[in-house]
Amino acid sequence: MNVKFGASLLSWITPNWNSEAGKYAIEKTGKAGFDLIEILLPPSMEFNAKEVKQQLKDNNLDVVCSLNLPKDAHIAFYPKVAERLMKQAVDKTSELETNFLGGVLHGGIGAFSGNPLTENEAEIIVEVWSKVADYAKEKGVNIAIEPINRYETYVCNTAKNVLDLISKTGRDNLFLHLDTFHMNIEENNFFDPIILAGNKLKHVHMTESHRGMLGEGAVNWNEFFKALKEINFEGNLVLENFSSSIPGMQQMVSLWQKSPHDAEELARGSLKFMKNHII
């Protein structure tokens, strides 16, 4: 396996990007011993790539990007808005001189029609993904799409949902981005979706069933790591757990219970847990 260990911006700060907060998250990620940071791009795209590149260099970190579509860029309702925003995210990814953009790119988080995904909606998504994938290919960027749970979207809840839509595009630079928190709600187990994805799986958000320390919740990590080894996983394992010690995080992600670990303990303990299972 060829694995890079990363931490999400959200492991250190709320997703309200500003220059000072970004610098803090980059420094913390570097000091904790990770290989890379995942920068969740702000929908405003107000982001100084040159400044961030220097901070990454200073802290000896690689970088990947992600974008979560907001409600007002829900592809099925606002395809042109979504396409424009996703292309802007590809531009920022390229400016940072990285080749990876992940995230919730099938629909706006919290946007619902009141019904399951229709064939017409699926066709709209496939069309937008195809255009964005072609644009990204010109810039050498791969895109990975993250299914999330039923309480946050009706579009893609499972690995199979994403893989089926990707196959309809016929594009080879679209991949799967899994998240163990959402898998714990939507998948039958932690083995089969990874085997189903095979080399289409490039990125995983590593997080517990309660968003806390890896190994202290209900996620079946033995099953998960067994599947990664089976497919000879090549990609990123990125920590995305949350601590109530971060101001504003409780409100942002409904983390109503007080966390037993602060952000630093969570990051270092979870990195050690991941390395113990891989190395």
Side-chain angles (χ1 to χ4, degrees):
M1 288 196 295
N2 183 14
V3 175
K4 283 190 173 178
F5 299 102
S8 165
L9 198 69
L10 302 181
S11 295
W12 308 107
I13 62 171
T14 58
N16 302 318
W17 175 270
N18 63 62
S19 181
E20 193 181 325
K23 183 171 184 283
Y24 171 81
I26 288 167
E27 287 172 352
K28 282 289 196 182
T29 301
K31 282 177 186 164
F34 290 92
D35 303 316
L36 62 83
I37 185 168
E38 179 191 316
I39 294 179
L40 178 62
L41 296 170
S44 67
M45 294 298 157
E46 288 172 11
F47 183 82
N48 185 334
K50 188 179 175 186
E51 180 184 78
V52 172
K53 269 198 299 188
Q54 187 58 53
Q55 292 166 1
L56 292 163
K57 191 176 175 184
D58 292 344
N59 290 275
N60 197 29
L61 275 181
D62 288 338
V63 64
V64 294
C65 295
S66 60
L67 173 71
N68 293 335
L69 291 176
K71 285 183 189 178
D72 59 8
H74 185 61
I75 300 178
F77 300 165
Y78 314 109
K80 284 189 167 54
V81 176
E83 182 184 334
R84 187 165 62 246
L85 183 59
M86 289 165 77
K87 285 179 176 176
Q88 287 174 332
V90 168
D91 289 339
K92 287 296 179 188
T93 303
S94 179
E95 281 176 45
L96 277 176
E97 294 177 18
T98 182
N99 67 352
F100 182 87
L101 173 68
V104 182
L105 300 170
H106 46 80
I109 296 180
F112 289 91
S113 67
N115 290 297
L117 187 71
T118 65
E119 280 185 31
N120 182 52
E121 286 177 320
E123 283 169 16
I124 293 168
I125 292 164
V126 166
E127 188 180 341
V128 169
W129 281 6
S130 299
K131 289 176 183 173
V132 173
D134 290 345
Y135 183 81
K137 188 143 196 171
E138 288 173 18
K139 294 180 177 281
V141 172
N142 293 321
I143 296 172
I145 296 126
E146 177 188 4
I148 57 174
N149 72 75
R150 68 191 68 188
Y151 306 109
E152 296 181 53
T153 188
Y154 68 101
V155 181
C156 288
N157 303 131
T158 66
K160 188 175 186 304
N161 291 159
V162 171
L163 293 167
D164 285 350
L165 288 177
I166 287 175
S167 70
K168 287 178 180 174
T169 69
R171 301 313 194 265
D172 63 2
N173 62 329
L174 294 180
F175 295 92
L176 175 66
H177 165 180
L178 285 175
D179 181 309
T180 52
F181 173 82
H182 299 293
M183 289 177 77
N184 188 58
I185 297 170
E186 296 296 345
E187 304 285 3
N188 290 341
N189 56 59
F190 290 88
F191 186 83
D192 294 336
I194 293 170
I195 301 301
L196 179 69
N199 62 11
K200 275 289 176 187
L201 178 63
K202 290 292 176 198
H203 196 78
V204 185
H205 277 164
M206 304 289 285
T207 181
E208 257 302 350
S209 54
H210 48 37
R211 296 290 201 183
M213 185 72 79
L214 301 191
E216 293 185 356
V219 170
N220 188 331
W221 293 110
N222 289 334
E223 197 174 65
F224 172 83
F225 283 107
K226 184 184 175 191
L228 288 188
K229 286 169 185 165
E230 193 108 346
I231 66 165
N232 194 25
F233 176 69
E234 294 194 358
N236 313 311
L237 299 181
V238 173
L239 191 63
E240 195 195 48
N241 47 18
F242 308 133
S243 173
S244 60
S245 69
I246 299 169
M249 189 58 79
Q250 286 184 287
Q251 295 81 357
M252 193 72 67
V253 297
S254 303
L255 193 67
W256 308 124
Q257 308 306 311
K258 188 174 185 299
S259 303
H261 306 285
D262 66 24
E264 188 131 1
E265 288 169 342
L266 263 187
R268 290 182 182 274
S270 294
L271 177 59
K272 186 179 176 186
F273 179 89
M274 289 192 287
K275 286 186 170 179
N276 284 345
H277 277 81
I278 289 286
I279 297 167

